[in-house]
Amino acid sequence: MSGAIRLRDVTLSHERHPAVHHLSGEFAPGSLTAVVGPNGAGKTTLLRAIAGLHPLDEGRIEWPEGRIALLPQMSALDRSFPIACLDVALLGHWSRTGAFRAIGASERARAETALEAVGLGGFSRRPVGSLSAGQFQRLLFARLLVQDAPIILLDEPFNAVDARTAADLLRLVREWHGQGRTVIAVLHDLDLVRREFPETLLLARDPIAWGGTEEALGAANRMRARMMAEGWDAAAVPCERAA
Amino acid sequence: MSLTADVLAHGILPGIAAGFLVAGLSVTAMSLGGLVAGLVVALGAGALSRATGGREDSTLAALYLVALALGVVMISMGAGSVELTNLLFGSVLGVDDPALLMMAGVATLTLLALALAWRPLVLECFDPSFAAAERAGGGLWHMLFMGLVVLNVLAAFQALGTLMAVGLMMLPAVASRHWARGVGGMAYAASSIAILSSVAGILASYHLDVPTGPAVVLAAGLAWLVSVLAGPVEGVLARVLRRRHLAG
């Protein structure tokens, strides 16, 4: 469906402190990869950079043709905003409708179908403020369905949702994988990752391991990740490693 | 958002004062000065808080206090307390033809611009990171909106005064939350409340001989109180007269 996303010696930082340090590798087309690591390991920053939302300090990212859909962490949205569920799903059409083009019956029908597919049939007119965290996450997945992008980035998609919602949403992720889309998900549940994700990138600012999940999540790698994630060194000197 | 409007409203005061010092009570000079000052504050506040990494609202609060004090000092240097009161609190009798035309023009322009920018503005407020990921130009629409706020505060200060203009912007918007659940319905509710309280406030101001700005804002405040008490969405009355819960 699309080419690989290639990272070449990518460094991303917040106020010069690296969040992702000299990362190279590629997400193969159609791959299903989990990005795992301790808090503050740069996982979200990496997703945002792949989506083109975080400037690169060094290195570069090569994108294949095709749109990228990003599921942000739920906390990044204003969940009390007075907007109806159907309108949120309709936002998924943005790349085609933009700010001005009309939204017709077929777009509306696709958004309704997406709402039904995530188990929110009949919720069209409900304001998002009345949804639970799990229902809200289902709604964001409906928007992803409408977006229909070949590359899908998920930031902690199963946080704060119950087991049944997680299972339903996971089924959608499996479907996307089956359709040959490239899916990258930031996750914390290692059992889930071992069960469902063939590939894993273990990140602790510096890349620890990237490859088959079983190997990447081996005990030695996980120990190393824990050691690396010591946090913010206020007296850090400029990195000397050649770019 | 309410703080932003506050800042813009007070931010234009030094500009208006500068226009007043240069050219006296001339609508054109004061409006031009206010426009420049308002745009500087609108663009500067965002850039400043991004550059310093500070929280936007604390930066805005600092700007607004400084701008208000600066404006009052500047006006006091060139004029007596009557002019100062008029600029701060408005006087509807001081509205002449150019000012009236400006208000009508700004209102028309704002209505058209909002109709055009509605979808991206709603998106930018609801989910800015989606807007950025979709390259929806959220920042640009935000700037356009800020520009509109500046223009509206500027048009309103003749009648309502710079201190009171924000009241007519904010109170109907806050009240509208009790009348509709969607952002579209809220816009209708807010406009209706604003129109009603303007008419009521101006009449009261004329008959009771009180300054226009505070009269209009008080009328809007009354509308807000009624909305909080009797509005159908999360109103106090609706909560007291609780209807029996549904079966499912």
Side-chain angles (χ1 to χ4, degrees), chain A residues 113-198:
Chain A
T113 314
L115 285 178
E116 273 157 36
V118 298
L120 290 181
F123 277 65
S124 295
R125 300 257 55 91
R126 284 272 290 271
V128 298
S130 69
L131 300 184
S132 70
Q135 289 170 328
F136 192 78
Q137 193 69 310
R138 286 172 186 264
L139 177 62
L140 293 182
F141 267 73
R143 186 172 72 181
L144 288 175
L145 282 172
V146 174
Q147 277 183 278
D148 191 25
I151 300 167
I152 299 174
L153 313 175
L154 308 170
D155 198 351
E156 305 198 1
F158 309 129
N159 259 23
V161 305
D162 64 22
R164 192 169 143 220
T165 303
D168 284 352
L169 299 181
L170 194 61
R171 199 166 55 236
L172 288 173
V173 173
R174 262 185 243 133
E175 268 172 39
W176 288 331
H177 183 51
Q179 292 159 353
R181 299 175 206 263
T182 310
V183 180
I184 306 171
V186 170
L187 292 167
H188 284 295
D189 180 349
L190 294 187
D191 293 329
L192 176 86
V193 171
R194 287 206 178 88
R195 217 169 48 236
E196 304 283 347
F197 287 74

Side-chain angles (χ1 to χ4, degrees), chain A:
Chain A
M1 215 157 165
S2 63
I5 302 167
R6 289 197 180 81
L7 311 180
R8 299 211 193 281
D9 198 35
V10 168
T11 293
L12 310 164
S13 58
H14 297 288
E15 292 175 43
R16 292 182 63 214
H17 289 275
V20 174
H21 207 193
H22 298 291
L23 174 64
S24 294
E26 65 172 55
F27 297 96
S31 60
L32 175 58
T33 312
V35 180
V36 176
N39 286 325
K43 307 183 295 294
T44 294
T45 312
L46 177 64
L47 276 204
R48 287 176 55 79
I50 294 173
L53 298 179
H54 194 98
L56 303 189
D57 243 39
E58 266 173 39
R60 63 205 162 87
I61 299 179
E62 290 167 18
W63 288 275
E65 290 287 307
R67 285 172 296 113
I68 298 178
L70 169 70
L71 175 84
Q73 275 180 39
M74 219 189 303
S75 55
L77 277 86
D78 180 1
R79 276 178 56 195
S80 67
F81 195 82
I83 187 171
C85 290
L86 181 66
D87 290 327
V88 176
L90 281 169
L91 284 174
H93 287 298
W94 190 276
S95 63
R96 291 171 292 272
T97 62
F100 304 121
R101 252 157 292 159
I103 287 172
S106 67
E107 282 87 4
R108 214 168 277 273
R110 252 187 64 196
E112 297 269 13
T113 314
L115 285 178
E116 273 157 36
V118 298
L120 290 181
F123 277 65
S124 295
R125 300 257 55 91
R126 284 272 290 271
V128 298
S130 69
L131 300 184
S132 70
Q135 289 170 328
F136 192 78
Q137 193 69 310
R138 286 172 186 264
L139 177 62
L140 293 182
F141 267 73
R143 186 172 72 181
L144 288 175
L145 282 172
V146 174
Q147 277 183 278
D148 191 25
I151 300 167
I152 299 174
L153 313 175
L154 308 170
D155 198 351
E156 305 198 1
F158 309 129
N159 259 23
V161 305
D162 64 22
R164 192 169 143 220
T165 303
D168 284 352
L169 299 181
L170 194 61
R171 199 166 55 236
L172 288 173
V173 173
R174 262 185 243 133
E175 268 172 39
W176 288 331
H177 183 51
Q179 292 159 353
R181 299 175 206 263
T182 310
V183 180
I184 306 171
V186 170
L187 292 167
H188 284 295
D189 180 349
L190 294 187
D191 293 329
L192 176 86
V193 171
R194 287 206 178 88
R195 217 169 48 236
E196 304 283 347
F197 287 74
E199 316 224 355
T200 293
L201 165 59
L202 178 57
L203 205 60
R205 259 187 297 164
D206 289 76
I208 305 294
W210 192 350
T213 295
E214 218 31 69
E215 198 179 328
L217 289 184
N221 282 336
R222 274 183 293 138
M223 174 64 86
R224 209 149 69 82
R226 217 167 304 145
M227 308 278 288
M228 295 293 293
E230 274 159 357
W232 183 278
D233 180 0
V237 295
C239 174
E240 297 290 345
R241 212 185 302 177

Side-chain angles (χ1 to χ4, degrees), chain B residues 19-20 23-28 30 83 86-87 96:
Chain B
F20 172 74
L25 274 172
S26 133
V27 176
T28 329
M30 289 194 295
E83 281 93 343
N86 280 350
L87 284 175
D96 50 8

Side-chain angles (χ1 to χ4, degrees), chain B residues 34-93:
Chain B
L35 186 64
V36 172
L39 290 178
V40 166
V41 171
L43 303 183
L48 199 64
S49 65
R50 266 193 299 277
T52 57
R55 286 177 47 78
E56 188 162 31
D57 48 358
S58 45
T59 314
L60 287 176
L63 269 176
Y64 130 59
L65 293 165
V66 172
L68 181 59
L70 183 66
V72 171
V73 167
M74 283 170 74
I75 295 170
S76 309
M77 286 190 324
S81 60
V82 177
E83 281 93 343
L84 181 62
T85 311
N86 280 350
L87 284 175
L88 289 181
F89 300 110
S91 103
V92 79
L93 297 178

Side-chain angles (χ1 to χ4, degrees), chain B:
Chain B
M1 190 58 235
S2 65
L3 186 63
T4 316
D6 252 338
V7 174
L8 290 179
H10 302 311
I12 68 170
L13 191 60
I16 291 171
F20 172 74
L21 285 181
V22 173
L25 274 172
S26 133
V27 176
T28 329
M30 289 194 295
S31 299
L32 267 178
L35 186 64
V36 172
L39 290 178
V40 166
V41 171
L43 303 183
L48 199 64
S49 65
R50 266 193 299 277
T52 57
R55 286 177 47 78
E56 188 162 31
D57 48 358
S58 45
T59 314
L60 287 176
L63 269 176
Y64 130 59
L65 293 165
V66 172
L68 181 59
L70 183 66
V72 171
V73 167
M74 283 170 74
I75 295 170
S76 309
M77 286 190 324
S81 60
V82 177
E83 281 93 343
L84 181 62
T85 311
N86 280 350
L87 284 175
L88 289 181
F89 300 110
S91 103
V92 79
L93 297 178
V95 175
D96 50 8
D97 283 356
L100 205 58
L101 281 174
M102 175 164 168
M103 287 181 211
V106 167
T108 311
L109 183 74
T110 305
L111 208 58
L112 288 177
L114 277 187
L116 202 69
W118 187 260
R119 198 189 290 169
L121 279 179
V122 168
L123 173 61
E124 173 69 11
C125 294
F126 169 59
D127 188 353
S129 61
F130 180 79
E134 291 287 308
R135 310 283 180 276
L140 215 66
W141 296 109
H142 192 77
M143 296 277 198
L144 172 79
F145 185 73
M146 287 296 147
L148 285 179
V149 175
V150 170
L151 275 180
N152 277 279
V153 174
L154 210 55
F157 94 88
Q158 292 279 333
L160 298 175
T162 54
L163 281 187
M164 290 295 134
V166 194
L168 191 56
M169 257 182 208
M170 292 316 304
L171 284 169
V174 177
S176 72
R177 281 213 159 226
H178 294 285
W179 296 99
R181 290 182 197 275
V183 64
M186 285 181 192
Y188 288 121
S191 313
S192 311
I193 293 172
I195 292 170
L196 283 179
S197 28
S198 298
V199 174
I202 288 172
L203 284 177
S205 152
Y206 180 77
H207 288 294
L208 305 177
D209 195 24
V210 291
T212 321
V216 170
V217 171
L218 271 183
L222 195 65
W224 168 69
L225 201 66
V226 170
S227 306
V228 170
L229 289 176
V233 181
E234 288 170 9
V236 172
L237 214 59
R239 196 162 294 182
V240 173
L241 305 172
R242 235 170 45 163
R243 286 185 295 168
R244 194 164 167 71
H245 66 84
L246 304 174

